[in-house]
Amino acid sequence: MISTAPSLPPAAEMRRAYLASDAGYDGVFYLGVRTTGIFCRPSCRAKKPRPENVEFFADAREATFAGYRPCKRCRPLEAPGTPPPWIARLIADIERDPSRRIREAELRARGLDPARVRRWFKQHCGMSFAAYCRGRRMNTALQAIRRGESVIDLAIGHGFESESGFRAAFERSFGHTPADGSGASAVDPVRVAWLDSPLGPLLAAARDAGIVLLEFTERRMLEAQFDALRRHFQVPLVPGDHPLLRQLKTELAEYFAGARRAFTLPLVYPGSDFQRAVWNALLQIPYGATRSYDDLARAVGRPGACRAVGTANGRNRIAILIPCHRVVNKNGQLGGYGGGLWRKQRLLDLEKGIEPVS
């Protein structure tokens, strides 16, 4: 497999991107600052260097071999979107015991600002930290009820003072009260889970009918996507596991290793007739190929409707599996991508056999 370094955007474009701290260019290029000897991501929030003191690199390796050391503020050697260690530890604690309640006093005892924790979960998970913990707790309870465990045992085991308090919390989450060993099978919430990838963490969601969400976690529209899922399915979103999420993890690992060209997972993507037509057309673009927005507009019978096609393309909720990354501008330039242009380039390179993602 031939490896070639990705080409850099025009210098003026890179200058504009780093001066604007544009995260969409993270991974597309890095900038070395001659006066300090450090290199940064374009999104770095440190004081901007003068343009004449900056040189650009296609990857972190080039910057390192040129003698620059990584910035301690933007940490350019880490995969963009990687949860910071303090969040990773918090999530690990929740997963070890979903029934445990982590209150603000405990967060402060860990040296964490509760407001900062809330902001991070709201931005990256579309819900507050309390809602995330509650959803994880309730989803665990739902699975236990399906196995036939008693409501009173679950109430005590999940830290509720009474059975009635547990029933009320369950009803708020799932729309009806639980029943001992029955009634829970009708509940099919949207299960949300984190998946690691070589391009940073992905937030995935599934119902029994199929995968309903796959997005890179720092995407700005993530909260809007969650709202759309709640509106479409009229069910709660809860952190939890699902067989389709486990299958998704396996198939994505095979894809990034270059061993899978097509996914076999069922997909559920409600939307307007036009949006679904666009998303269906995306599914017809072969692995390793690209289409222009003009091509896509003609494929859905709307020649000239490039802007509308681009909007529908941007509202795709299932990245990679519905391959919106395979749509580029007519002149061959990348165009836009909600997960960041650097990810779009890496995905296209992977599929063309240019540069394996590792």
Side-chain angles (χ1 to χ4, degrees):
M1 185 175 292
I2 299 173
S3 176
T4 61
S7 59
L8 288 169
E13 183 179 345
M14 292 189 289
R15 189 176 303 115
R16 182 207 61 76
Y18 89 75
L19 289 174
S21 299
D22 189 341
Y25 284 82
D26 282 358
V28 175
F29 72 89
Y30 296 82
L31 58 139
V33 185
R34 297 186 180 96
T35 52
T36 62
I38 67 170
F39 73 97
C40 303
R41 308 178 193 275
S43 65
C44 187
R45 294 290 178 176
K47 183 180 178 181
K48 302 301 178 186
R50 296 170 64 89
E52 61 267 25
N53 293 328
V54 169
E55 60 179 319
F56 301 110
F57 301 96
D59 53 42
R61 180 178 176 275
E62 282 189 8
T64 300
F65 281 118
Y68 290 94
R69 62 186 187 278
C71 173
K72 292 182 179 180
R73 183 165 185 173
C74 66
R75 300 192 294 272
L77 295 180
E78 295 182 7
T82 302
W86 58 276
I87 282 290
R89 288 191 293 269
L90 200 55
I91 292 174
D93 286 346
I94 295 167
E95 289 305 306
R96 274 192 293 272
D97 183 7
S99 64
R100 179 184 172 196
R101 291 173 178 268
I102 301 178
R103 303 186 186 279
E104 288 192 358
E106 182 176 345
L107 292 176
R108 293 191 183 94
R110 294 177 177 219
L112 301 177
D113 177 6
R116 183 187 182 198
V117 173
R118 283 194 299 273
R119 283 195 301 270
W120 193 93
F121 274 85
K122 191 70 174 176
Q123 179 181 354
H124 293 84
C125 301
M127 62 187 81
S128 68
F129 176 62
Y132 181 93
C133 293
R134 183 169 59 251
R136 193 70 187 90
R137 199 159 53 242
M138 288 294 101
N139 185 60
T140 303
L142 174 63
Q143 304 313 310
I145 288 173
R146 286 176 167 172
R147 293 193 299 269
E149 296 185 26
S150 74
V151 174
I152 185 62
D153 289 344
L154 286 169
I156 295 171
H158 284 72
F160 289 88
E161 296 179 358
S162 66
E163 181 181 344
S164 62
F166 174 74
R167 287 182 180 275
F170 192 96
E171 184 174 16
R172 285 195 300 272
S173 293
F174 299 116
H176 62 74
T177 56
D180 288 347
S182 64
S185 60
V187 179
D188 182 17
V190 174
R191 310 285 176 49
V192 182
W194 289 72
L195 300 179
D196 290 327
S197 87
L199 301 184
L202 288 152
L203 205 59
R207 301 187 77 203
D208 291 345
I211 301 297
V212 300
L213 179 77
L214 185 65
E215 287 280 21
F216 292 102
T217 58
E218 76 274 21
R219 186 174 179 187
R220 291 186 293 272
M221 288 182 64
L222 195 58
E223 190 170 341
Q225 299 284 40
F226 276 125
D227 289 341
L229 291 177
R230 293 187 187 97
R231 194 166 57 249
H232 283 302
F233 296 116
Q234 296 295 302
V235 295
L237 274 63
V238 297
D241 195 14
H242 191 280
L244 289 177
L245 293 175
R246 293 194 292 273
Q247 182 182 347
L248 174 61
K249 182 178 181 180
T250 298
E251 293 197 8
L252 280 174
E254 294 168 350
Y255 168 81
F256 281 115
R260 174 174 290 278
R261 293 183 168 224
F263 295 92
T264 64
L265 292 146
L267 307 179
V268 181
Y269 44 101
S272 69
D273 290 345
F274 178 73
Q275 287 173 331
R276 286 183 56 81
V278 172
W279 300 333
N280 287 333
L282 292 174
L283 288 167
Q284 303 306 311
I285 304 176
Y287 180 96
T290 59
R291 298 289 184 270
S292 70
Y293 293 98
D294 283 341
D295 294 334
L296 207 58
R298 286 192 293 270
V300 299
R302 294 279 298 276
C306 297
R307 187 180 297 275
V309 162
T311 299
N313 194 58
R315 289 180 178 169
N316 170 34
R317 288 184 291 274
I318 307 177
I320 303 177
L321 279 65
I322 299 180
C324 53
H325 61 277
R326 295 176 190 162
V327 183
V328 298
N329 289 340
K330 192 173 183 178
N331 61 5
Q333 296 295 315
L334 289 181
Y337 190 60
L341 291 178
W342 73 276
R343 287 194 176 101
K344 185 173 186 173
Q345 185 65 66
R346 298 284 176 86
L347 292 170
L348 293 175
D349 287 347
L350 168 69
E351 294 182 0
K352 292 175 181 176
I354 295 175
E355 183 184 6
V357 179
S358 59

